[in-house]
Amino acid sequence: MDKAEELLRRLALNDERAIASVLGSDPSAARVPPLDRKTRALVRLGALLAVGAGTTSLRWMTEVAYDAGATEEEIVGVLVAVAPEVGCAGVVRQAPGLALAIGYDVEDVVG
């Protein structure tokens, strides 16, 4: 059994150590090859957008993404990528918060 399969099995069984390794701040603790910093930040941003996170959380994650080398286009691309899953209402709800997180004036965006 490879490392990824083992981890998925342990997570499916609600194994406390596996859960702790995934929820912890060290991605290597999960014992599967980690994503590079930029990809990890963009994926995490997509998750925040999908769950309807507030502007403060989006701002924090965009800063992490910028620090990892992401561009504004890639960050906005994350919203476009999750659009089919979050639907029209989700995109419309999250776009202003993401715009603020990037540093755009919301009045200019929606005005």
Side-chain angles (χ1 to χ4, degrees):
M1 174 180 339
D2 65 13
K3 291 179 182 181
E5 182 180 3
E6 178 186 352
L7 178 59
L8 288 173
R9 287 176 185 266
R10 291 176 58 208
L11 291 172
L13 294 170
N14 198 21
D15 178 277
E16 289 181 28
R17 285 184 27 221
I19 298 293
S21 73
V22 171
L23 295 179
S25 60
D26 181 11
S28 64
R31 297 185 300 172
V32 293
L35 299 173
D36 63 80
R37 284 181 55 229
K38 183 171 92 171
T39 302
R40 182 172 166 81
L42 293 173
V43 168
R44 292 172 69 190
L45 176 61
L48 289 173
L49 290 166
V51 299
T55 303
T56 302
S57 295
L58 296 176
R59 183 174 291 124
W60 170 71
M61 191 49 62
T62 58
E63 289 173 10
V64 171
Y66 282 136
D67 288 345
T71 64
E72 283 184 3
E73 290 80 14
E74 290 171 317
I75 289 169
V76 174
V78 170
L79 180 60
V80 173
V82 300
E85 282 69 33
V86 300
C88 179
V91 170
V92 171
R93 181 178 56 249
Q94 290 300 96
L98 185 59
L100 282 172
I102 291 172
Y104 294 150
D105 184 351
V106 176
E107 294 298 319
D108 289 342
V109 173
V110 296

